[in-house]
């Protein structure tokens, strides 16, 4: 893994493949907004759990984590699972932390260092009030072969079981994948596709959010 500065941007490559760049992050913000919008006013509606628990799959540049923290209350917990120790180190000691306002310094952030799939297999059923997953550039394993489980029927069934009733899990992707959307629906989740652009209107690239809601 290599972190490079290109002008004002920070770019991360994995085995010479572009993994992420800090130039644009509108769709990463949207991942948190779409994933957490059902939690707005949840205490006022009298839902049983006083504290929301959110998991972010993939720390990356920190934008999704930052936005999730901004949207949640002071008693809520936002876990962030990151496979690469270098990413966490570059946030805490290097240049990545400043990009999104140092989200790891927020006391509501809990870092889970390691494989996201292993973490999800270890937690209890109905653990999360929102799941925001962005560990690859699409719905195929890129950063780790172990991520294949996440996009298959077994991983998606597990994710469905981890969602509390009436809440949702959201996958970020750089492109649309109808087969993946079908598998997500087959896991028992009410599934829809949201296309999101970047904040910079000069960039017309549309990214995709696969939203699976437990009814």
């Amino acid at each position: 893994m290599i972190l490079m500065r290109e002008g004002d941007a920070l770019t991360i490559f994995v085995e010479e493949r572009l993994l992420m760049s800090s130039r644009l992050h509108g769709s990463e913000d949207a991942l948190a907004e779409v994933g957490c919008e059902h939690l707005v006013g949840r205490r006022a509606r009298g839902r049983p759990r006083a504290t929301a628990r959110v998991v972010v799959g993939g720390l990356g540049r920190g934008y999704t984590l930052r936005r999730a923290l901004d949207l949640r209350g002071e008693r809520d917990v936002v876990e962030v699972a990151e496979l690469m120790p270098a990413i966490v180190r570059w946030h805490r000691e290097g240049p990545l932390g400043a990009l999104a306002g140092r989200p790891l310094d927020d006391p509501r952030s809990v870092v889970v260092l390691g494989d996201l799939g292993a973490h999800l297999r270890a937690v209890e059923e109905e653990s999360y009030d929102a799941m925001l997953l962005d560990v690859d550039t699409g719905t195929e394993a890129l950063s780790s072969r172990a991520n294949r489980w996440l996009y298959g029927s077994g991983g998606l069934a597990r994710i469905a079981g981890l969602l509390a009733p009436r809440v949702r899990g959201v996958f970020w992707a750089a492109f649309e994948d109808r087969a993946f959307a079908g598998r997500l629906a087959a896991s028992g989740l009410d599934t829809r596709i949201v296309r999101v652009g970047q904040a910079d209107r000069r960039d017309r690239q549309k990214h995709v959010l696969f939203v699976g809601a437990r009814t």
Side-chain angles (χ1 to χ4, degrees):
M1 178 174 289
I2 298 173
L3 174 64
M4 297 180 61
R5 184 177 294 278
E6 298 178 331
D8 295 332
L10 293 172
T11 305
I12 296 175
F13 291 86
V14 175
E15 296 180 352
E16 299 184 354
R17 293 175 296 182
L18 175 64
L19 183 64
M20 64 189 76
S21 171
S22 66
R23 286 192 173 92
L24 298 170
H25 57 88
S27 60
E28 285 83 355
D29 295 339
L31 171 59
E33 292 162 2
V34 171
C36 293
E37 65 183 353
H38 64 284
L39 296 176
V40 175
R42 77 172 276 167
R43 294 190 184 93
R45 291 196 295 268
R47 293 187 184 178
R49 190 182 299 171
T51 300
R53 185 181 179 191
V54 176
V55 63
V56 176
L59 173 58
R61 296 155 297 162
Y63 293 118
T64 299
L65 174 60
R66 174 75 273 159
R67 188 64 181 136
L69 290 166
D70 291 344
L71 292 169
R72 301 311 314 134
E74 62 182 15
R75 296 176 59 190
D76 294 339
V77 175
V78 183
E79 299 174 0
V80 56
E82 175 53 55
L83 178 65
M84 307 294 187
I87 297 288
V88 177
R89 186 171 66 253
W90 290 334
H91 269 271
R92 287 178 167 160
E93 303 172 7
L96 286 185
L99 291 176
R102 308 199 66 82
L104 293 189
D105 291 350
D106 192 304
R108 296 171 295 166
S109 297
V110 177
V111 176
V112 178
L113 187 59
D115 176 59
L116 173 63
H119 176 62
L120 297 183
R121 285 189 286 265
V123 296
E124 297 179 356
E125 292 286 299
E126 298 187 8
S127 288
Y128 294 112
D129 300 283
M131 301 180 73
L132 317 174
L133 306 181
D134 177 11
V135 294
D136 293 294
T137 58
T139 52
E140 298 178 358
L142 173 64
S143 58
S144 169
R145 292 181 180 179
N147 288 343
R148 292 176 181 172
W149 176 81
L150 291 172
Y151 310 120
S153 57
L156 296 178
R158 177 59 176 162
I159 287 169
L162 292 175
L163 294 172
R166 298 182 299 279
V167 302
R168 64 187 61 167
V170 185
F171 285 82
W172 182 98
F175 50 84
E176 191 169 323
D177 184 342
R178 290 286 179 176
F180 173 76
R183 293 195 300 274
L184 189 60
S187 72
L189 297 177
D190 185 11
T191 300
R192 62 189 174 100
I193 297 174
V194 177
R195 297 171 184 82
V196 292
Q198 298 290 0
D200 187 341
R201 294 185 179 182
R202 294 171 298 178
D203 190 316
R204 297 185 179 182
Q205 183 177 6
K206 295 285 187 179
H207 292 158
V208 178
L209 303 179
F210 296 92
V211 183
R214 182 174 172 189
T215 56

